[in-house]
Amino acid sequence: MITSSGKTAGKVCWEEMLPWEFKEQQRQCPIVYLPMGLCEPHGQISAFGLDTLKAKYICTAAAERTGGIVAPAMGYHVHESGYHAQWLEEVVGEENPHMTAIPPHILYSFFLYQLRAFINAGFRGIIVVTGHAGGNEHDLRLVADSMSQMSSVPIHVVSDPELVQEHYTGDHAGAYEISQLLYIRPDLVDFEYAPLAEQPGSGGMMAMGADAMQASAELGQKIMESCVQALSCAAARMLKEIKSASESTVPAHLTYDQTEKVWRQLQAENVPWIAAKPYPGQPPIAPQSRWKPYEFLKESRRF
Ligand SMILES: [Zn+2]
């Protein structure tokens, strides 16, 4: 990228930018991307950070194509609670899944403050890509919509399977996800370790999908290209929207109090958070399971 001052800038990652590079890139496209994921098991054959890594890849490629800046990736996410709990009982049982999980009431409140940070840093549009999906993306949208209403800043929250739902079906550590990682980080997938699932003390299946061994870098390339294409289009639409909107409606700075007000409103509305309880029809968790305490969030941990 050649800047108006004739200097060359090619960076899109906030963490790597010098102030002049940030200002220039933001002036051209005032959109920030937040990649979200976490460390959770994806079988014995692949790395814990798959969700974060793919979200970061999609955001970075879209920013390189359409413009904007990629915020530091969020490597902690909602897990364990509500619908996650029974899934964990089923796929990891009593094994330690070695996760970077945060309770929803903490994560969603933190997420609100991340959005505040982006608005205060001068962005006029926010795109959130979560690589960890299955319900929490709907909760994130509730938080984002409230912030968007208060600030007049458009906020788009999407999971990678939603980006490509017309062409592919997302999964957990199956052919879809393992292919994604095989394409973007082939060094982090090794099928040779699949037999560890049978070895006592190794953690068992570690939530590997049934068709994981059919994954390929070729399929991963197609999925990721499709994700990047869809996100780039979403960013281009948002940029158009920002350019036609009235700048005066966006507050120059959001305080802690203004942000807390948004959070309190969400609490008062008694929002039906998806990550707070099991899906309708999900079987109950066995009383002796280590995941039982997380099936229904206690009142004190409600929002
Ligand atoms: Zn995943």
Side-chain angles (χ1 to χ4, degrees):
M1 180 183 84
I2 305 292
T3 71
S4 54
S5 56
K7 290 180 181 169
T8 303
K11 297 176 193 168
V12 295
C13 287
W14 191 342
E15 291 157 297
E16 298 178 5
M17 287 176 157
L18 276 59
W20 74 266
E21 292 173 318
F22 182 96
K23 286 174 187 294
E24 182 64 29
Q25 184 79 346
Q26 193 184 56
R27 190 186 60 75
Q28 290 185 17
C29 180
I31 292 176
V32 64
Y33 303 78
L34 173 64
M36 291 185 81
L38 82 162
C39 288
E40 65 164 327
H42 285 80
Q44 298 284 355
I45 58 167
S46 90
F48 284 103
L50 197 160
D51 294 4
T52 320
L53 294 167
K54 66 175 169 171
K56 189 170 181 185
Y57 177 94
I58 295 164
C59 290
T60 305
E64 284 167 353
R65 222 169 268 192
T66 307
I69 293 173
V70 182
M74 175 68 172
Y76 298 78
H77 213 318
V78 167
H79 214 308
E80 306 161 320
S81 69
Y83 66 88
H84 294 100
Q86 192 272 329
W87 182 81
L88 284 166
E89 183 193 36
E90 195 183 313
V91 301
V92 298
E94 296 305 301
E95 300 285 352
N96 188 338
H98 309 302
M99 301 192 299
T100 55
I102 303 287
H105 65 293
I106 305 283
L107 194 282
Y108 298 158
S109 168
F110 184 80
F111 175 60
L112 191 61
Y113 276 95
Q114 285 181 302
L115 300 176
R116 170 187 174 266
F118 299 150
I119 294 167
N120 285 355
F123 293 103
R124 292 297 167 258
I126 302 171
I127 291 179
V128 180
V129 176
T130 176
H132 175 52
N136 66 77
E137 63 273 31
H138 303 285
D139 290 348
L140 294 174
R141 276 197 272 271
L142 290 171
V143 178
D145 288 350
S146 296
M147 183 53 124
S148 193
Q149 269 173 24
M150 192 271 272
S151 64
S152 302
V153 170
I155 307 173
H156 180 53
V157 178
V158 70
S159 68
D160 64 280
E162 288 175 316
L163 284 171
V164 294
Q165 59 193 355
E166 284 164 29
H167 311 288
Y168 303 98
T169 304
D171 62 20
H172 179 82
Y176 172 91
E177 273 205 318
I178 302 299
S179 294
Q180 289 179 306
L181 193 61
L182 258 179
Y183 173 59
I184 61 170
R185 288 293 303 270
D187 56 315
L188 300 182
V189 181
D190 196 333
F191 292 116
E192 281 188 18
Y193 292 108
L196 277 179
E198 311 297 328
Q199 204 168 294
S202 62
M205 288 294 286
M206 279 278 165
M208 188 170 84
D211 60 353
M213 300 302 275
Q214 277 130 53
S216 70
E218 291 72 27
L219 175 61
Q221 182 173 14
K222 286 181 190 154
I223 295 170
M224 293 308 269
E225 178 50 37
S226 202
C227 287
V228 172
Q229 182 60 25
L231 194 69
S232 296
C233 288
R237 279 194 301 273
M238 183 178 274
L239 186 58
K240 217 169 154 188
E241 188 188 334
I242 295 166
K243 284 184 172 164
S244 61
S246 159
E247 173 69 14
S248 59
T249 55
V250 177
H253 184 88
L254 291 176
T255 63
Y256 289 164
D257 284 350
Q258 285 170 301
T259 312
E260 283 298 322
K261 201 173 155 196
V262 175
W263 186 241
R264 280 199 303 275
Q265 266 169 9
L266 278 165
Q267 289 171 303
E269 284 165 15
N270 230 340
V271 167
W273 301 101
I274 290 179
K277 55 185 184 303
Y279 285 133
Q282 218 175 354
I285 300 176
Q288 69 277 14
S289 167
R290 72 187 289 183
W291 305 112
K292 188 68 178 172
Y294 307 103
E295 191 175 21
F296 294 92
L297 291 186
K298 287 179 183 162
E299 276 310 313
S300 60
R301 299 193 189 106
R302 286 285 168 83
F303 308 90

